[in-house]
């Protein structure tokens, strides 16, 4: 009897994660009206349930002020299923047309309202407010209400089969072979365009974390969007800032002037059809800018995560920087926060690592050759000149080299004076210097 010996290969185990897949869709005019009916039904249900809860709570408050004892059972609960049961009991009275839309429409409203109350109780948001009718909106469908017909069509209950602009083959193959399960999907109308975003439970084999052999530092800026260098002082890559919003400002201004001449919405007044068309042109300009910006960030972050083992970026306080009104438009257009967000999950996918340098580390003010730290470095000084060793270097390249060296073994982030940040000074991190694309310096440095 011959015994076969099977050689086992070590394959990393697959991990289950929740991932989003977003696609542009092209509904027919009839399908678009049906989708708007679902969006409007969700909004109506949200407002109706919020109104019932507010009336109930106000009545109980008046009873308490009158000296009555109000038991807890008299208060309407704001849990997800409690709101669904409340809608089922009152829908015939409040919305006789409720059967025109699917059950997912009203489940979506109850879930959103329940989440809004939960965030209010935890102090993370204000008390829920009523949703107004506008040109944008969304509705969430559960997995039982939709499915992928093929790689170019999605079928939604009571709406029909909707064509997608691009192929959904990646998601479709996941679903076909059982490595992906659609949990829900959100259909959104924004800026005159329709999109569908799937929430999918995916089995993904995560790449093992690579040894930090290829290290790169990334300095973000406004003149040059991303400047990248390695610890050896080699300037690797420059990504110019295309200034997407600035390039579209003239077109946007023309479209906005045309919109301002039309009769727009107001108290007790509906917008004219010409205003709706003109406003759609404005929204298309904004959509083009957002898509171009997002595409550039995706291309850059994918390139970095795939080709480098360790990526070092700055821990910028973008919210603080936006307080500088002279640069706020350009900083928002650069979208540095989105750049870091995408790097965070892509480095996990591809086995690389992301390191954020200390917020007080003066990467722009430090000479990468001798280590001297300047007390001040104005924004208009584009060339870093070191008085100690005579180095003349582009300031962004110098900062990128310093950041890359923060990723070396044994290196730790320091402040501008090469000292540790006192715990009492940590709250100053919320007050970033708005005129500098690099990190701000601790007050101890005297800058």
């Amino acid at each position: 009897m011959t015994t076969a010996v099977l050689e086992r290969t070590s394959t990393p185990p697959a991990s289950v994660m929740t991932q989003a897949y977003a696609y542009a869709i092209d509904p027919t005019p009839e399908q678009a009206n049906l989708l708007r009916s679902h969006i409007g039904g969700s909004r109506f249900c949200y407002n109706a349930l919020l109104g019932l809860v507010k009336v109930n709570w106000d009545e109980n408050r008046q009873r308490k002020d009158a000296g009555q004892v109000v038991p807890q059972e008299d208060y309407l609960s704001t849990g997800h299923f409690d709101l669904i049961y409340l809608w089922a009991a009152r829908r015939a009275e409040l919305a006789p047309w409720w059967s025109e839309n699917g059950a997912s429409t009203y489940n979506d409203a109850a879930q959103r309202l329940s989440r809004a109350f939960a965030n209010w109780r935890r102090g993370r948001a204000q008390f829920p407010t009523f949703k107004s009718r506008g040109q944008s909106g969304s509705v969430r469908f559960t997995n039982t209400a939709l499915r992928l017909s093929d790689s170019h069509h999605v079928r939604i209950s009571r709406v029909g089969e909707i064509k997608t602009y691009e192929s959904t083959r990646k998601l479709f193959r996941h679903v076909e072979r059982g490595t992906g399960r659609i949990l829900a999907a959100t259909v959104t109308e924004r800026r005159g365009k329709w999109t569908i975003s799937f929430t999918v439970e995916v089995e993904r084999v995560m790449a093992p974390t690579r040894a930090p052999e290829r290290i790169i530092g990334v300095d973000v800026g406004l003149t040059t969007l991303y400047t990248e260098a390695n610890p050896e002082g080699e300037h690797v890559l420059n990504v110019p800032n295309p200034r997407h919003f600035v390039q579209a400002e003239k077109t946007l201004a023309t479209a906005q002037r045309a919109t301002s001449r039309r009769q727009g919405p107001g108290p007790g007044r509906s917008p004219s059809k010409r205003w709706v068309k003109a406003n759609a042109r404005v929204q298309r300009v904004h959509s083009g800018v957002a898509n171009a910006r997002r595409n550039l960030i995706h291309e850059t972050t994918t390139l970095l995560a795939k080709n480098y083992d360790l990526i070092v970026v700055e821990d910028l306080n973008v919210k603080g920087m936006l307080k500088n009104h002279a640069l706020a438009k350009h900083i928002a257009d650069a979208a540095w926060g989105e750049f870091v967000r995408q790097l965070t999950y892509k480095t996990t996918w591809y086995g690389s690592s992301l390191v954020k340098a200390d917020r007080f580390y003066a990467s722009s003010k430090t000479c990468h050759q001798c280590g001297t730290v300047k007390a001040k470095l104005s924004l208009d000084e584009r060339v870093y000149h070191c008085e100690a060793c005579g180095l003349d270097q582009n300031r962004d390249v110098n900062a990128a080299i310093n950041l890359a060296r923060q990723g070396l073994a044994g290196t730790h982030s320091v402040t501008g004076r090469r000292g540790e940040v006192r715990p009492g000074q940590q709250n100053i991190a919320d007050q970033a210097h708005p005129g500098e694309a690099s990190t701000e310096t601790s007050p101890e440095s005297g800058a």
Side-chain angles (χ1 to χ4, degrees):
M1 181 177 179
T2 304
T3 305
V5 179
L6 299 179
E7 184 179 346
R8 294 184 178 179
T9 57
S10 57
T11 304
S15 57
V16 178
M17 63 172 58
T18 302
Q19 188 174 336
Y21 290 83
Y23 302 97
I25 57 177
D26 186 21
T28 64
E30 294 77 13
Q31 291 173 335
N33 287 332
L34 289 173
L35 290 173
R36 292 191 185 101
S37 174
H38 283 76
I39 292 173
S42 177
R43 182 186 63 252
F44 181 91
C45 178
Y46 182 99
N47 291 338
L49 290 175
L50 177 58
L52 292 174
V53 171
K54 289 187 68 174
V55 168
N56 174 263
W57 287 9
D58 289 342
E59 290 176 350
N60 289 333
R61 187 181 300 111
Q62 292 175 2
R63 290 168 58 191
K64 289 185 68 174
D65 293 343
Q68 300 181 26
V69 178
V70 181
Q72 189 65 31
E73 295 77 18
D74 288 0
Y75 287 90
L76 288 178
S77 176
T78 57
H80 177 202
F81 291 104
D82 295 314
L83 292 174
I84 290 178
Y85 297 146
L86 177 61
W87 171 255
R90 304 291 299 273
R91 64 191 179 188
E93 170 193 351
L94 298 172
W97 42 261
W98 66 270
S99 59
E100 296 176 7
N101 302 317
S104 291
T105 302
Y106 310 113
N107 179 67
D108 170 58
Q111 195 170 29
R112 292 189 185 193
L113 183 58
S114 176
R115 191 182 303 117
F117 274 111
N119 290 334
W120 166 66
R121 286 194 179 92
R122 294 166 185 165
R124 295 188 295 199
Q126 298 294 325
F127 191 85
T129 57
F130 295 103
K131 294 183 178 293
S132 61
R133 182 178 182 179
Q135 287 189 299
S136 300
S138 64
V139 61
R140 185 177 176 88
F141 297 95
T142 58
N143 58 349
T144 57
L146 60 89
R147 63 180 175 86
L148 289 175
S149 302
D150 52 43
S151 59
H152 284 87
H153 295 86
V154 56
R155 176 173 288 278
I156 300 178
S157 176
R158 296 176 183 254
V159 177
E161 204 168 76
I162 303 176
K163 188 179 184 299
T164 60
Y165 272 103
E166 56 186 322
S167 174
T168 63
R169 62 181 179 274
K170 288 185 178 179
L171 174 58
F172 186 67
R173 288 172 182 171
H174 269 302
V175 176
E176 266 194 326
R177 60 174 175 253
T179 57
R181 184 170 67 93
I182 298 176
L183 302 178
T186 302
V187 176
T188 305
E189 183 185 18
R190 182 180 293 114
R191 298 166 183 161
K193 295 185 178 181
W194 291 90
T195 57
I196 184 168
S197 177
F198 294 93
T199 303
V200 187
E201 199 174 68
V202 179
E203 292 182 12
R204 177 186 287 271
V205 178
M206 304 301 294
T209 304
R210 302 191 297 262
E213 297 177 357
R214 295 167 297 177
I215 303 175
I216 191 170
V218 183
D219 179 74
V220 298
L222 296 178
T223 304
T224 303
L225 194 56
Y226 311 118
T227 303
E228 296 150 13
N230 58 26
E232 291 74 29
E234 181 184 357
H235 182 198
V236 179
L237 182 65
N238 254 2
V239 178
N241 189 354
R243 301 181 185 272
H244 295 107
F245 183 77
V246 175
Q247 295 296 326
E249 275 189 310
K250 187 175 181 180
T251 305
L252 181 63
T254 302
Q256 287 175 331
R257 278 197 299 270
T259 306
S260 66
R261 299 188 190 103
R262 274 57 167 172
Q263 177 180 306
R269 182 184 64 195
S270 299
S272 66
K273 292 183 178 180
R274 297 176 73 234
W275 183 90
V276 172
K277 291 181 179 179
N279 188 59
R281 289 193 289 269
V282 173
Q283 299 306 319
R284 281 196 293 270
V285 176
H286 282 297
S287 179
V289 169
N291 291 339
R293 181 190 299 124
R294 191 181 302 111
N295 181 67
L296 176 62
I297 297 175
H298 272 297
E299 290 178 348
T300 307
T301 52
T302 301
L303 173 70
L304 292 174
K306 283 185 175 180
N307 295 285
Y308 293 94
D309 306 321
L310 183 62
I311 306 165
V312 186
V313 297
E314 300 171 282
D315 183 19
L316 295 176
N317 180 19
V318 179
K319 184 178 179 181
M321 292 180 176
L322 289 174
K323 295 178 181 179
N324 183 339
H325 299 294
L327 294 175
K329 177 176 68 176
H330 302 287
I331 293 173
D333 193 22
W336 296 328
E338 176 65 12
F339 174 76
V340 176
R341 187 193 73 84
Q342 291 189 17
L343 270 181
T344 302
Y345 71 82
K346 287 184 181 181
T347 50
T348 305
W349 286 1
Y350 298 115
S352 49
S353 301
L354 178 66
V355 173
K356 294 182 181 179
D358 189 275
R359 184 165 288 187
F360 288 133
Y361 177 57
S363 58
S364 293
K365 298 180 181 180
T366 304
C367 175
H368 78 268
Q369 187 164 279
C370 67
T372 302
V373 182
K374 283 181 176 287
K376 291 185 178 181
L377 182 66
S378 61
L379 191 60
D380 59 352
E381 295 181 52
R382 304 315 302 168
V383 177
Y384 182 92
H385 174 72
C386 181
E387 292 80 4
C389 66
L391 172 72
D392 285 316
Q393 179 82 62
N394 179 284
R395 63 177 288 156
D396 296 334
V397 176
N398 176 68
I401 295 171
N402 287 324
L403 288 170
R405 291 176 180 173
Q406 290 294 300
L408 297 174
T411 307
H412 61 279
S413 300
V414 294
T415 64
R417 287 291 183 183
R418 296 183 173 270
E420 297 297 335
V421 182
R422 297 197 307 267
Q425 297 290 335
Q426 293 290 348
N427 60 343
I428 302 178
D430 294 331
Q431 303 171 2
H433 193 289
E436 181 72 70
S438 60
T439 53
E440 71 275 21
T441 306
S442 167
E444 297 177 348
S445 65

